[in-house]
Amino acid sequence: MPITRDIALAARQLREGKLVAFPTETVYGLGADAGNAEAARRVFALKGRPANHPLIVHIGETRRIEDWARDIPPLAWRLAERFWPGPLTLILKRGRAPLEVTGGQDSVGLRCPSHPVALDLLRQFGGGIAAPSANRFGRVSPTRAEHVVAEFGDAVDTILEGGDCTVGLESTILSLLGDPPVLLRPGAIARAEMEAIIGAPIPGVEPNAEVRAPGLLDSHYAPDTRLLLCGAERIATLTAGLLDRGRRVAVMTRTLAPDDLPPGVRRHAMPTEPSDYGRQLYASLRTLDSGDFDDIIVEQPPDEEPWRAVNDRLGRASHGNFPSVT
Ligand code: TXA
Ligand code: MG
């Protein structure tokens, strides 16, 4: 079992070009020395990720931005000062970051994570750590060390134990390549808080925009089991129809009581607060995915700003699946 708490060992392995999975406050990352193009290539190979999809470079201190990016706008420093360490990734012009890390793009994603184990690892390692989420391409991100084991087993040299991720959803990604900045991926950081620093509204990414971000693929973060999003008022009918056809059904719900659902359904209760929900989402999807279900029905959260990141991930996880009974 490659799980360890030995941060010095993990730092040494990064220096040797090995891969180290490590905790961040968002999700676990699959890390490699960001200055080592060969190690970065191994990350892509292990993940099964297309080589043109860039990795985020994790840094331990804000001033390290200059190690990897160039022509850094003053706004980058202001955002970093406000939100780092924390779940915000900034896309900047590429400086010395290897093209293998940036997926061949002349830009680089940078983030200073706030998890104490990640910060200690970065401090002891001394460089930047290129890391995507530590899951196979297109799958649900890991929020516990054991999830990383389930994804990769012994194929990763070391998995640093850091407990459950406190945010549980991937970082907010903001591109500062143009003016105004563009939101590429919603996360835990509220849009209004960023707009307060920027002093202007932030547009979301245009559909079909030429941005190579796997998180932007329609189908992503998906479990194996079919996932259906459904309004609370229709869940009982939908579920009954599926059960009639002999399907095994789990329902992830925030508001429905056991009595609201037909017998024979596995009810999985979810938190009512968006941040609690986000923290628990991926672990819940994994639990239900490994149960013997044909369908996971998820009660659609409100279409409101605090639920934006959760709704984004649920929308992708259920992409292309339509309830056959309405
Ligand atoms: O919270 C997170 O961001 C986690 C932890 C480990 O830090 N990492 C993560 O990495 O979610 P990944 O690779 O699964 O998703 C990173 C996203 C991808 O959609 C990637 O394309 C985008 O960041 N990204 C990275 N560099 C970029 C760049 N130069 N331009 C556009 N998008 C970029
Ligand atoms: Mg990912």
Side-chain angles (χ1 to χ4, degrees):
M1 196 68 97
I3 295 185
T4 178
R5 292 181 183 274
D6 189 342
I7 298 176
L9 167 78
R12 208 157 55 236
Q13 294 192 316
L14 286 171
R15 281 194 288 275
E16 290 168 4
K18 292 186 175 157
L19 305 189
V20 170
F22 65 102
T24 81
E25 71 280 21
T26 58
V27 301
Y28 277 71
L30 179 62
D33 176 354
N36 181 336
E38 183 50 40
R41 273 195 286 271
R42 287 187 55 219
V43 172
F44 285 91
L46 186 58
K47 242 188 104 92
R49 180 174 191 159
N52 63 357
H53 289 188
L55 309 179
I56 293 173
V57 176
H58 297 73
I59 54 179
E61 297 164 286
T62 299
R63 64 187 171 87
R64 299 296 188 125
I65 293 179
E66 290 172 318
D67 293 353
W68 308 99
R70 68 172 201 278
D71 302 343
I72 300 150
L75 181 57
W77 299 107
R78 298 213 309 272
L79 288 163
E81 189 185 351
R82 170 69 180 79
F83 296 111
W84 283 358
L88 176 67
T89 296
L90 297 175
I91 309 295
L92 297 165
K93 284 188 193 159
R94 186 178 69 93
R96 273 169 289 171
L99 284 167
E100 284 81 359
V101 167
T102 67
Q105 305 199 56
D106 201 26
S107 58
V108 61
L110 292 174
R111 156 165 134 78
C112 178
S114 65
H115 194 295
V117 172
L119 284 173
D120 199 3
L121 178 65
L122 283 159
R123 189 182 55 78
Q124 293 198 36
F125 171 54
I129 304 179
S133 51
N135 53 279
R136 294 187 189 272
F137 184 61
R139 316 301 310 169
V140 176
S141 295
T143 54
R144 282 181 197 150
E146 72 209 48
H147 297 164
V148 184
V149 176
E151 291 288 318
F152 297 118
D154 290 331
V156 40
D157 300 306
T158 294
I159 301 170
L160 261 184
E161 174 62 72
D164 288 6
C165 299
T166 53
V167 173
L169 297 178
E170 303 81 354
S171 60
T172 303
I173 303 182
L174 192 67
S175 170
L176 299 187
L177 296 178
D179 189 15
V182 175
L183 184 66
L184 298 183
R185 182 172 71 184
I189 294 185
R191 176 187 284 241
E193 280 186 68
M194 294 186 289
E195 288 174 340
I197 304 287
I198 296 167
I202 304 172
V205 69
E206 298 290 322
N208 304 322
E210 252 307 295
V211 184
R212 290 196 208 93
L216 298 173
L217 294 180
D218 283 342
S219 169
H220 209 71
Y221 313 109
D224 287 324
T225 314
R226 186 169 75 143
L227 194 138
L228 301 168
L229 270 177
C230 185
E233 68 293 346
R234 292 199 304 127
I235 286 183
T237 320
L238 172 64
T239 310
L242 291 167
L243 290 172
D244 274 353
R245 288 162 40 202
R247 295 181 68 90
R248 295 155 302 176
V249 182
V251 174
M252 271 173 61
T253 178
R254 297 168 11 262
T255 65
L256 298 179
D259 283 352
D260 297 327
L261 296 170
V265 170
R266 159 84 172 272
R267 175 177 166 275
H268 184 90
M270 289 298 286
T272 51
E273 285 302 310
S275 58
D276 297 334
Y277 191 110
R279 181 179 312 129
Q280 211 171 292
L281 175 62
Y282 289 150
S284 294
L285 288 178
R286 277 179 189 270
T287 301
L288 295 178
D289 203 18
S290 60
D292 258 336
F293 299 107
D294 299 306
D295 303 290
I296 302 170
I297 297 179
V298 181
E299 178 185 343
Q300 174 91 61
D303 185 15
E304 294 164 5
E305 189 58 32
W307 290 94
R308 192 179 169 87
V310 164
N311 283 333
D312 171 77
R313 306 310 190 273
L314 286 176
R316 295 175 203 283
S318 63
H319 181 74
N321 301 337
F322 300 100
S324 49
V325 184
T326 52

